């Protein structure tokens, strides 16, 4: 699959843009674990133009994580075009426009998925961004605003006519938010449209290697984008890439290797911000990690882990889990079997 001159190979699997998740450290780890392309957190066009430090910091890209897309959102064509020019100076591999974020603070203000209620403005913004930069421009959006307005098949053609070079479709409407099931049949309809000649990337409910394989085999997409399933488990890309490419699973990382990755995230988060806020930032990954799922009577330890606010305290808890709790559970399972 190619986006402009960017060759992502066959059956690429990509890390989705996620606010407060896809920082530089997490992107790099996911890349090392097999992600073919990674996306930054959402970048507000308004904040970028105002030179807000917390926003401009998101533009940092390292050579090791490439190819990397910077995703921007906003509600006015001129502002988005100016933001795109600023982003281009950071030299990402492509610029992605967010027309899919459903949260109220974005969509409710007429940006993100909010533009699914104003298609003429969405197209105006897209043209403005495409014309503002020499980089490939792509779009990520949803099926439509609600169940009665699933307009994605026609919209995909309109966006292509604006000059975008790839389209990512999240298989839900804005009104669904993240509830219900993603409609991959609708994504397939976009891909099957003979008038569409740009790559179509599918997104939504991809949590296992088998689902990645189905996305390519059954629904015919050019690429797959993985979001929430990677939080606390960046190693998921190893398995997904292996199954997508060969049909066979990759060698599983050991428990120690997975803990080492989580510890690396913690320390890099602290180094990037500070100890207290760095640990706050990483709690989402710890809370979601499958490493801690299914452990009997784990709730008190889980609460303790998510309340820790110093690195020494958190390391003591993680060491206890890794060296005492998990081996104990594993041994019990071995005995029972």
């Amino acid at each position: 699959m190619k986006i402009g001159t960017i060759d992502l190979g066959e059956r690429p699997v990509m890390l989705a843009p996620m606010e407060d998740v896809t920082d530089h450290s997490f992107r790099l780890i996911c890349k090392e674990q097999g992600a073919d392309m990674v996306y930054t957190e959402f970048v507000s066009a308004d904040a970028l133009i105002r030179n807000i430090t917390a926003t401009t910091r998101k533009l940092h890209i390292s050579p090791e994580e490439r190819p990397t897309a910077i995703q921007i959102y906003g509600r006015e064509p001129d502002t988005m075009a100016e933001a795109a020019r600023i982003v281009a100076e950071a030299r990402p591999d492509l610029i992605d426009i967010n027309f899919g974020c459903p949260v109220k603070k974005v969509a409710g203000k007429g940006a993100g998925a909010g533009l699914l209620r104003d298609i003429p403005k969405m197209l105006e913004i897209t043209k403005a961004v495409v014309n503002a930069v020499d980089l490939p421009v792509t779009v990520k959006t949803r099926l439509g605003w609600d169940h009665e307005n699933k307009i994605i098949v026609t919209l995909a053609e309109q966006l292509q006519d604006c000059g975008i070079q790839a389209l990512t479709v999240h298989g839900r409407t804005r009104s669904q938010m993240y509830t219900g099931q993603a409609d991959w049949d609708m994504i397939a309809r976009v891909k099957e449209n003979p008038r569409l000649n740009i790559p179509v990337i599918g997104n939504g409910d991809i949590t296992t290697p088998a689902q990645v394989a189905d996305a390519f085999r059954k629904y015919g997409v050019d690429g797959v984008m993985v979001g929430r399933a990677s939080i606390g488990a960046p190693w998921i890309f190893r398995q997904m890439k292996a199954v997508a490419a060969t049909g066979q699973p990759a060698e599983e990382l050991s428990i120690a290797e997975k803990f080492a990755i989580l510890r690396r995230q913690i320390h890099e988060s602290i180094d990037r911000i500070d100890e207290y806020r760095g640990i706050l930032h990483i709690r989402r990954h710890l809370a979601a990690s499958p490493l801690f799922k299914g452990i009997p009577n784990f709730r008190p330890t889980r609460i303790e882990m998510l309340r820790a606010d110093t690195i020494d305290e958190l390391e003591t808890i993680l060491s206890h889990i890794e060296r005492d709790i998990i081996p104990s559970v594993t041994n019990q399972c071995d005995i029972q079997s």
Side-chain angles (χ1 to χ4, degrees):
M1 184 187 97
K2 283 188 175 182
I3 301 176
T5 60
I6 305 165
D7 191 345
L8 298 175
E10 294 185 7
R11 298 188 167 191
V13 182
M14 291 160 268
L15 171 66
M18 292 178 282
E19 183 64 13
D20 292 328
V21 175
T22 54
D23 56 40
H24 172 256
S25 171
F26 189 64
R27 297 195 306 267
L28 182 55
I29 291 171
C30 290
K31 177 67 176 178
E32 293 170 356
Q33 292 297 317
D36 292 292
M37 186 162 72
V38 296
Y39 288 66
T40 65
E41 302 171 75
F42 316 153
V43 176
S44 163
D46 290 327
L48 196 59
I49 290 173
R50 297 200 307 271
N51 200 31
I52 303 299
T53 301
T55 299
T56 57
R57 189 184 295 123
K58 295 178 181 180
L59 302 184
H60 171 69
I61 297 171
S62 67
E64 296 81 8
E65 70 180 81
R66 291 182 182 276
T68 306
I70 294 179
Q71 189 186 70
I72 60 175
Y73 72 91
R75 58 184 179 182
E76 297 298 335
D78 291 344
T79 303
M80 286 287 281
E82 179 60 25
R85 285 188 282 267
I86 295 171
V87 166
E89 294 176 3
R91 303 185 67 181
D93 295 281
L94 62 86
I95 294 176
D96 188 68
I97 306 175
N98 180 333
F99 291 142
C101 181
V103 299
K104 187 175 181 180
K105 69 177 182 179
V106 175
K109 294 180 179 179
L115 283 156
L116 287 164
R117 293 195 293 185
D118 192 346
I119 300 305
K121 179 177 273 192
M122 177 192 286
L123 301 178
E124 188 180 355
I125 288 172
T126 305
K127 290 176 185 176
V129 172
V130 168
N131 292 335
V133 296
D134 293 328
L135 293 168
V137 174
T138 61
V139 162
K140 185 172 187 286
T141 190
R142 291 182 168 234
L143 304 181
W145 179 257
D146 54 28
H147 182 73
E148 288 72 34
N149 293 280
K150 292 184 178 181
I151 59 171
I152 188 60
V153 175
T154 300
L155 177 60
E157 290 184 26
Q158 294 173 303
L159 290 168
Q160 176 179 260
D161 291 343
C162 292
I164 68 168
Q165 298 192 38
L167 174 67
T168 300
V169 180
H170 180 99
R172 289 182 173 86
T173 63
R174 189 274 172 177
S175 63
Q176 282 183 272
M177 301 293 285
Y178 296 101
T179 63
Q181 292 185 324
D183 186 348
W184 277 78
D185 289 328
M186 282 293 296
I187 297 175
R189 285 181 57 191
V190 176
K191 177 58 187 172
E192 292 164 359
N193 183 355
R195 295 185 60 190
L196 205 68
N197 53 45
I198 58 174
V200 175
I201 302 160
N203 173 234
D205 295 347
I206 296 293
T207 61
T208 68
Q211 289 171 326
V212 172
D214 278 348
F216 289 112
R217 177 184 57 80
K218 184 177 179 180
Y219 300 104
V221 294
D222 299 290
V224 171
M225 186 175 284
V226 179
R228 288 174 290 170
S230 69
I231 303 174
W235 49 81
I236 198 170
F237 288 102
R238 288 170 51 89
Q239 295 292 345
M240 288 180 168
K241 278 296 297 178
V243 171
T246 69
Q248 300 298 318
E251 183 179 353
E252 187 71 41
L253 293 183
S254 67
I255 294 295
E257 288 172 318
K258 292 177 179 178
F259 268 93
I261 290 173
L262 287 185
R263 286 189 173 95
R264 174 181 166 187
Q265 285 186 255
I266 294 166
H267 284 280
E268 290 182 355
S269 180
I270 289 171
D271 290 343
R272 181 174 62 91
I273 315 173
D274 57 47
E275 184 175 35
Y276 179 71
R277 290 183 299 160
I279 290 173
L280 282 180
H281 173 74
I282 216 67
R283 282 178 181 170
R284 183 171 183 178
H285 293 267
L286 294 174
S289 181
L291 272 175
F292 311 118
K293 295 188 184 302
I295 300 176
N297 305 313
F298 187 68
R299 188 170 183 273
T301 305
R302 175 187 175 87
I303 292 172
E304 187 181 8
M305 176 179 68
L306 298 180
R307 285 180 177 173
D309 55 13
T310 68
I311 185 60
D312 290 341
E313 184 182 0
L314 186 53
E315 175 56 39
T316 297
I317 296 166
L318 290 176
S319 295
H320 172 57
I321 296 169
E322 180 184 7
R323 297 171 188 171
D324 301 325
I325 296 179
I326 290 181
S328 173
V329 172
T330 303
N331 291 338
Q332 288 177 17
C333 290
D334 290 341
I335 292 171
Q336 291 171 0
S337 63

